[in-house]
Amino acid sequence: MKLWMASLLLALAGITQAADTARFTATVDGRLTIGPEGQVVDVKLEDAEWMGEAVMEGYLQKIRSWRFQPVIEDGKAVNASSPMRLHLAAVRDDANKTAHFAIEQADFLDPKQARRLPSGIKNRPYYPEDAVRYGVGATVLLVARVDEEGVPVDLAVEYLHLSGQDIGSHAPRIASLFARATQAAARRWRFEGVPTGLVRIPVKYTPPAFSPPRAGWERVYPVPMEAPAWLGEALAGDAPVQELADNGTPASPTLRLLTPLDPRLGG
C-alpha cells in the first residue's frame, strides 16, 4: 500500500504546482468477470499503463476485493462477465507529501444496450457562453427522481467540478451556469425502462477547441453545491439509485455490486 501511495505521488507530481492540495480525475475502461459466489475471478484494465505498474496493481487489488450479488440462470449461480468503466479520483497534498485515491463510480454496462441512449437524453444541454469565454468545462453529477413514465419530477446537482483552468473567484458563478443548463435539459429527458425512483447520470462538458487527454489524470476544481432537502432524505433512506453511464447507457441488470465504493474525494 505504501508503494502504491508513493507511486501515485510520483505520477501526480509533475502535473501542476499551483496549490498545496489538488484534485485529479481519470476514466479507465476494462472488463470484469465474477464467479458463482459473487467474487471477482478476473479483471482487466484497458490502456491503463499511464498509471504505472504499482498504481495499477493497487487499483486491481481493490477491485478483486469487491463482492457482487450472484448471477442466477436457470436456478443456478453462474459466472458473469461485463465491460466496465471506472471513474477514478486522486487528491495530492503537497504540504503533507501525501495522496489519497478512490474509485468513485463503477459503471457495468449492458452489452445489449451499449449503443442505445434512453429517449430524450439526446437533448443536449446548452453550453454557457461565459464558460466558453473562459475555456472552462465541467462534469455535473445529476440526480433525478422519475415517475412511472420515466418523467423527471425532481432534479438536483449532487456534485460538480470544473476543468480546464483555475478561474478562481469566478468558479461559483460559472458552476451555477452549468448546473442550471444541465437541469434545464434534463427536464426534457425521458428515462424509459428505468424503475421509478432515483436516477444518477454524469453530464460532461468539454470546452470548444479543447482536446482533453486521451488517458491519464486531469486536474479538476470541485465547486460545493447545495443539494435540496428531498435528495438528502431520499439518499439517507437508502433509496435505490439507478446509475447511468456518462453516455446515458443503463447499467447491466445482471451485475450488482454489493461492496460500497469509495467516498468522493475533495468535494
Side-chain angles (χ1 to χ4, degrees):
M1 189 63 69
K2 290 183 179 179
L3 178 61
W4 185 11
M5 184 70 73
S7 299
L8 186 56
L9 278 167
L10 182 62
L12 299 178
I15 296 180
T16 179
Q17 298 294 332
D20 286 344
T21 301
R23 174 179 163 87
F24 304 84
T25 63
T27 301
V28 176
D29 291 331
R31 191 168 191 88
L32 176 137
T33 301
I34 68 169
E37 297 180 358
Q39 78 279 22
V40 175
V41 297
D42 187 53
V43 57
K44 292 182 175 63
L45 301 180
E46 301 171 1
D47 299 324
E49 293 77 11
W50 54 267
M51 294 184 192
E53 184 177 351
V55 174
M56 182 163 60
E57 182 57 33
Y59 276 115
L60 289 172
Q61 288 179 14
K62 182 182 288 285
I63 295 167
R64 292 184 188 113
S65 71
W66 286 350
R67 288 296 179 268
F68 290 78
Q69 180 175 309
V71 175
I72 306 299
E73 292 184 3
D74 299 325
K76 181 180 179 180
V78 298
N79 287 359
S81 181
S82 172
M84 68 177 180
R85 173 163 293 176
L86 304 178
H87 299 269
L88 312 178
V91 172
R92 189 196 66 207
D93 185 339
D94 289 340
N96 295 309
K97 294 182 171 56
T98 60
H100 301 280
F101 44 83
I103 301 176
E104 295 184 331
Q105 182 176 337
D107 300 324
F108 307 103
L109 307 179
D110 186 346
K112 297 178 181 178
Q113 304 187 67
R115 298 185 182 276
R116 182 178 66 81
L117 294 177
S119 172
I121 290 190
K122 295 179 181 178
N123 293 315
R124 301 297 182 182
Y126 171 77
Y127 206 114
E129 292 182 1
D130 280 3
V132 173
R133 282 196 290 270
Y134 283 112
V136 174
T139 293
V140 180
L141 195 60
L142 182 75
V143 178
R145 181 157 55 187
V146 302
D147 64 16
E148 62 277 1
E149 296 180 353
V151 176
V153 294
D154 289 304
L155 295 164
V157 173
E158 186 177 29
Y159 168 83
L160 188 152
H161 70 232
L162 302 178
S163 58
Q165 61 178 329
D166 187 356
I167 58 174
S169 61
H170 298 285
R173 181 176 64 86
I174 298 301
S176 68
L177 296 178
F178 280 118
R180 289 201 297 269
T182 303
Q183 292 182 82
R187 291 187 182 96
R188 305 193 302 269
W189 295 348
R190 297 296 178 268
F191 297 90
E192 297 175 359
V194 172
T196 301
L198 302 183
V199 179
R200 180 184 287 124
I201 180 170
V203 180
K204 186 166 186 176
Y205 296 79
T206 300
F210 174 75
S211 298
R214 185 184 66 84
W217 297 108
E218 179 184 10
R219 175 75 186 270
V220 299
Y221 306 89
V223 180
M225 305 298 295
E226 185 175 352
W230 70 261
L231 178 60
E233 293 170 0
L235 295 176
D238 295 325
V241 182
Q242 170 72 53
E243 302 279 355
L244 299 187
D246 53 11
N247 64 353
T249 303
S252 170
T254 57
L255 263 66
R256 296 188 179 182
L257 180 61
L258 301 179
T259 304
L261 292 176
D262 300 314
R264 189 167 292 277
L265 298 179

